[in-house]
Amino acid sequence: MKDETTQSIMDLDRMVHEPARLAILTVLSAAEEVEFLFLLKVTGLSKGNLSVQAQKLEAIGYIKTLKAFRGRVPVTAFQITAEGKTALSKYHDHIRSLLPEPK
Amino acid sequence: MEHLKHIEDLTRRYANIRMGAAGLGSLWASILAISFIVLLGNYVFTEFAASADADTSLWHFLRSDGLATPVWIKAAAISVSILTWFGITCLQTFIDKHLGAAIPRDPTGKLMRFFVPVFFICFLLICVGYNVGQSLAFHDNVTHEYYGKSLFEIMDISAYLGWATMTVWAVIWAFTTRDTISRGLATLLTLMFFPIMSSTLNEIDLIVIALSLIGLLMYSALGLYQFFAFQKIRGEINALQVSE
């Protein structure tokens, strides 16, 4: 039993499990598209960290980066992909199954 | 987990509240439209006082003779729509520069993107068709003053130009924005001022304006609600940054 639980914990999607990436995916799952600045303010991550984590999520296909211009200023926005939504949903189910029943 | 729930909820609320420049767009549109209505009312009442008999009511005056629509009224009506768009764009840019944008999940948004332009083009065609029909009816009437004139002479070109401008503007506005409230305002303002573009001001114009005004007041109420909700969300975002 113990081995099964340990294995189950080990099977958690590490890409989603990391707190910064989990926060990014959670925010993106609540909207169609979110700009870098809003993500920065809501997650409280540093610019560098947010960029790195977003790149990792994009590399695995969980999010999509959109580049546009507001006037002459370049604006970066992110969108969660169908794979990202599925991964987040699976992660939630997985975590719930690991947590003890509330007394 | 609670924190994640909070930021998810915050994002969802912000994405919805941010639309239409966080309510300021609706308020700006209302100020402009009401200013225009005051201007129009002043013109109508002045003309009525100058030309009508003491026995004639304003309603009867407009119904029987109609009142020539001056070009400046048409230009002002078109300007309201353009200035509203300009104001919303500036306010939205200001908000997005400070907080960033979040676009809500709106399945109707993509549909509306196509529905609004199609609606306006159909509406324009109906209005033009009706007007041309009316002109032709006058043209066939030998006792009418238009008898003997070409259709081109009968048609009020400024009305068609006004309609075309308003339609093109509304289509561009509806197609380029992803904001349901902006689209709604564009539709309302266009419908409100469309009849004014015709050559005469009639009682039907007053009815259309009165009905549109009700819609505009509803948008203003929504705008106020949005603005206060936006202020609350802004406070929550600032609190998040302080706590982190």
PDB file of all heavy atoms in Angstrom, chain A residues 61-74:
ATOM      1  N   GLY A  61       4.229  22.146 -24.613  1.00  0.00           N
ATOM      2  CA  GLY A  61       2.958  22.293 -25.324  1.00  0.00           C
ATOM      3  C   GLY A  61       1.769  22.576 -24.430  1.00  0.00           C
ATOM      4  O   GLY A  61       0.628  22.446 -24.861  1.00  0.00           O
ATOM      5  N   TYR A  62       2.014  23.017 -23.181  1.00  0.00           N
ATOM      6  CA  TYR A  62       0.899  23.303 -22.273  1.00  0.00           C
ATOM      7  C   TYR A  62       0.363  24.718 -22.461  1.00  0.00           C
ATOM      8  O   TYR A  62      -0.797  24.986 -22.130  1.00  0.00           O
ATOM      9  CB  TYR A  62       1.331  23.116 -20.813  1.00  0.00           C
ATOM     10  CG  TYR A  62       1.443  21.666 -20.378  1.00  0.00           C
ATOM     11  CD1 TYR A  62       1.859  21.328 -19.096  1.00  0.00           C
ATOM     12  CD2 TYR A  62       1.127  20.626 -21.254  1.00  0.00           C
ATOM     13  CE1 TYR A  62       1.970  20.002 -18.692  1.00  0.00           C
ATOM     14  CE2 TYR A  62       1.236  19.305 -20.859  1.00  0.00           C
ATOM     15  CZ  TYR A  62       1.660  18.997 -19.583  1.00  0.00           C
ATOM     16  OH  TYR A  62       1.765  17.684 -19.202  1.00  0.00           O
ATOM     17  N   ILE A  63       1.219  25.606 -22.932  1.00  0.00           N
ATOM     18  CA  ILE A  63       0.736  26.979 -23.186  1.00  0.00           C
ATOM     19  C   ILE A  63       1.257  27.448 -24.552  1.00  0.00           C
ATOM     20  O   ILE A  63       2.181  26.845 -25.117  1.00  0.00           O
ATOM     21  CB  ILE A  63       1.146  27.994 -22.076  1.00  0.00           C
ATOM     22  CG1 ILE A  63       2.658  28.221 -22.038  1.00  0.00           C
ATOM     23  CG2 ILE A  63       0.628  27.588 -20.732  1.00  0.00           C
ATOM     24  CD1 ILE A  63       3.068  29.416 -21.169  1.00  0.00           C
ATOM     25  N   LYS A  64       0.652  28.528 -25.016  1.00  0.00           N
ATOM     26  CA  LYS A  64       1.028  29.098 -26.306  1.00  0.00           C
ATOM     27  C   LYS A  64       1.363  30.567 -26.061  1.00  0.00           C
ATOM     28  O   LYS A  64       0.649  31.254 -25.328  1.00  0.00           O
ATOM     29  CB  LYS A  64      -0.185  28.988 -27.234  1.00  0.00           C
ATOM     30  CG  LYS A  64       0.134  28.947 -28.694  1.00  0.00           C
ATOM     31  CD  LYS A  64      -1.021  28.425 -29.506  1.00  0.00           C
ATOM     32  CE  LYS A  64      -2.197  29.381 -29.563  1.00  0.00           C
ATOM     33  NZ  LYS A  64      -3.298  28.923 -30.385  1.00  0.00           N
ATOM     34  N   THR A  65       2.460  31.033 -26.642  1.00  0.00           N
ATOM     35  CA  THR A  65       2.826  32.447 -26.482  1.00  0.00           C
ATOM     36  C   THR A  65       2.333  33.233 -27.692  1.00  0.00           C
ATOM     37  O   THR A  65       2.485  32.790 -28.825  1.00  0.00           O
ATOM     38  CB  THR A  65       4.360  32.593 -26.343  1.00  0.00           C
ATOM     39  OG1 THR A  65       4.778  31.750 -25.276  1.00  0.00           O
ATOM     40  CG2 THR A  65       4.771  34.013 -26.048  1.00  0.00           C
ATOM     41  N   LEU A  66       1.727  34.377 -27.409  1.00  0.00           N
ATOM     42  CA  LEU A  66       1.214  35.233 -28.491  1.00  0.00           C
ATOM     43  C   LEU A  66       1.917  36.580 -28.419  1.00  0.00           C
ATOM     44  O   LEU A  66       1.967  37.192 -27.354  1.00  0.00           O
ATOM     45  CB  LEU A  66      -0.291  35.436 -28.347  1.00  0.00           C
ATOM     46  CG  LEU A  66      -1.138  34.177 -28.169  1.00  0.00           C
ATOM     47  CD1 LEU A  66      -2.463  34.506 -27.534  1.00  0.00           C
ATOM     48  CD2 LEU A  66      -1.353  33.499 -29.512  1.00  0.00           C
ATOM     49  N   LYS A  67       2.465  36.995 -29.531  1.00  0.00           N
ATOM     50  CA  LYS A  67       3.164  38.293 -29.562  1.00  0.00           C
ATOM     51  C   LYS A  67       2.325  39.276 -30.364  1.00  0.00           C
ATOM     52  O   LYS A  67       1.822  38.945 -31.433  1.00  0.00           O
ATOM     53  CB  LYS A  67       4.533  38.151 -30.231  1.00  0.00           C
ATOM     54  CG  LYS A  67       5.450  37.141 -29.545  1.00  0.00           C
ATOM     55  CD  LYS A  67       6.347  37.818 -28.557  1.00  0.00           C
ATOM     56  CE  LYS A  67       7.324  36.798 -27.958  1.00  0.00           C
ATOM     57  NZ  LYS A  67       8.040  37.337 -26.834  1.00  0.00           N
ATOM     58  N   ALA A  68       2.189  40.478 -29.819  1.00  0.00           N
ATOM     59  CA  ALA A  68       1.432  41.514 -30.544  1.00  0.00           C
ATOM     60  C   ALA A  68       2.031  42.878 -30.208  1.00  0.00           C
ATOM     61  O   ALA A  68       3.012  42.954 -29.449  1.00  0.00           O
ATOM     62  CB  ALA A  68      -0.031  41.450 -30.139  1.00  0.00           C
ATOM     63  N   PHE A  69       1.456  43.911 -30.753  1.00  0.00           N
ATOM     64  CA  PHE A  69       1.913  45.269 -30.459  1.00  0.00           C
ATOM     65  C   PHE A  69       0.748  46.100 -29.941  1.00  0.00           C
ATOM     66  O   PHE A  69      -0.357  46.009 -30.462  1.00  0.00           O
ATOM     67  CB  PHE A  69       2.485  45.932 -31.716  1.00  0.00           C
ATOM     68  CG  PHE A  69       3.895  45.503 -32.016  1.00  0.00           C
ATOM     69  CD1 PHE A  69       4.132  44.394 -32.819  1.00  0.00           C
ATOM     70  CD2 PHE A  69       4.973  46.187 -31.482  1.00  0.00           C
ATOM     71  CE1 PHE A  69       5.429  43.982 -33.086  1.00  0.00           C
ATOM     72  CE2 PHE A  69       6.272  45.776 -31.746  1.00  0.00           C
ATOM     73  CZ  PHE A  69       6.499  44.669 -32.547  1.00  0.00           C
ATOM     74  N   ARG A  70       1.019  46.881 -28.892  1.00  0.00           N
ATOM     75  CA  ARG A  70       0.033  47.878 -28.458  1.00  0.00           C
ATOM     76  C   ARG A  70       0.663  49.219 -28.800  1.00  0.00           C
ATOM     77  O   ARG A  70       1.557  49.676 -28.097  1.00  0.00           O
ATOM     78  CB  ARG A  70      -0.240  47.745 -26.964  1.00  0.00           C
ATOM     79  CG  ARG A  70      -1.324  48.705 -26.504  1.00  0.00           C
ATOM     80  CD  ARG A  70      -1.656  48.548 -25.040  1.00  0.00           C
ATOM     81  NE  ARG A  70      -2.254  47.252 -24.763  1.00  0.00           N
ATOM     82  CZ  ARG A  70      -1.851  46.437 -23.802  1.00  0.00           C
ATOM     83  NH1 ARG A  70      -0.823  46.749 -23.052  1.00  0.00           N
ATOM     84  NH2 ARG A  70      -2.452  45.287 -23.615  1.00  0.00           N
ATOM     85  N   GLY A  71       0.206  49.776 -29.897  1.00  0.00           N
ATOM     86  CA  GLY A  71       0.886  50.959 -30.436  1.00  0.00           C
ATOM     87  C   GLY A  71       2.236  50.491 -30.939  1.00  0.00           C
ATOM     88  O   GLY A  71       2.299  49.638 -31.824  1.00  0.00           O
ATOM     89  N   ARG A  72       3.291  51.015 -30.349  1.00  0.00           N
ATOM     90  CA  ARG A  72       4.634  50.573 -30.765  1.00  0.00           C
ATOM     91  C   ARG A  72       5.264  49.634 -29.738  1.00  0.00           C
ATOM     92  O   ARG A  72       6.396  49.190 -29.899  1.00  0.00           O
ATOM     93  CB  ARG A  72       5.539  51.795 -30.943  1.00  0.00           C
ATOM     94  CG  ARG A  72       5.161  52.605 -32.171  1.00  0.00           C
ATOM     95  CD  ARG A  72       6.070  53.786 -32.297  1.00  0.00           C
ATOM     96  NE  ARG A  72       5.708  54.599 -33.445  1.00  0.00           N
ATOM     97  CZ  ARG A  72       6.291  55.724 -33.757  1.00  0.00           C
ATOM     98  NH1 ARG A  72       7.285  56.183 -33.023  1.00  0.00           N
ATOM     99  NH2 ARG A  72       5.913  56.412 -34.814  1.00  0.00           N
ATOM    100  N   VAL A  73       4.523  49.406 -28.660  1.00  0.00           N
ATOM    101  CA  VAL A  73       5.073  48.584 -27.574  1.00  0.00           C
ATOM    102  C   VAL A  73       4.737  47.105 -27.798  1.00  0.00           C
ATOM    103  O   VAL A  73       3.574  46.758 -27.974  1.00  0.00           O
ATOM    104  CB  VAL A  73       4.506  49.048 -26.203  1.00  0.00           C
ATOM    105  CG1 VAL A  73       5.132  48.287 -25.049  1.00  0.00           C
ATOM    106  CG2 VAL A  73       4.686  50.546 -26.030  1.00  0.00           C
ATOM    107  N   PRO A  74       5.753  46.243 -27.805  1.00  0.00           N
ATOM    108  CA  PRO A  74       5.444  44.810 -27.961  1.00  0.00           C
ATOM    109  C   PRO A  74       4.776  44.248 -26.703  1.00  0.00           C
ATOM    110  O   PRO A  74       5.165  44.599 -25.583  1.00  0.00           O
ATOM    111  CB  PRO A  74       6.825  44.178 -28.190  1.00  0.00           C
ATOM    112  CG  PRO A  74       7.803  45.153 -27.674  1.00  0.00           C
ATOM    113  CD  PRO A  74       7.193  46.510 -27.711  1.00  0.00           C
TER     114      PRO A  74
END
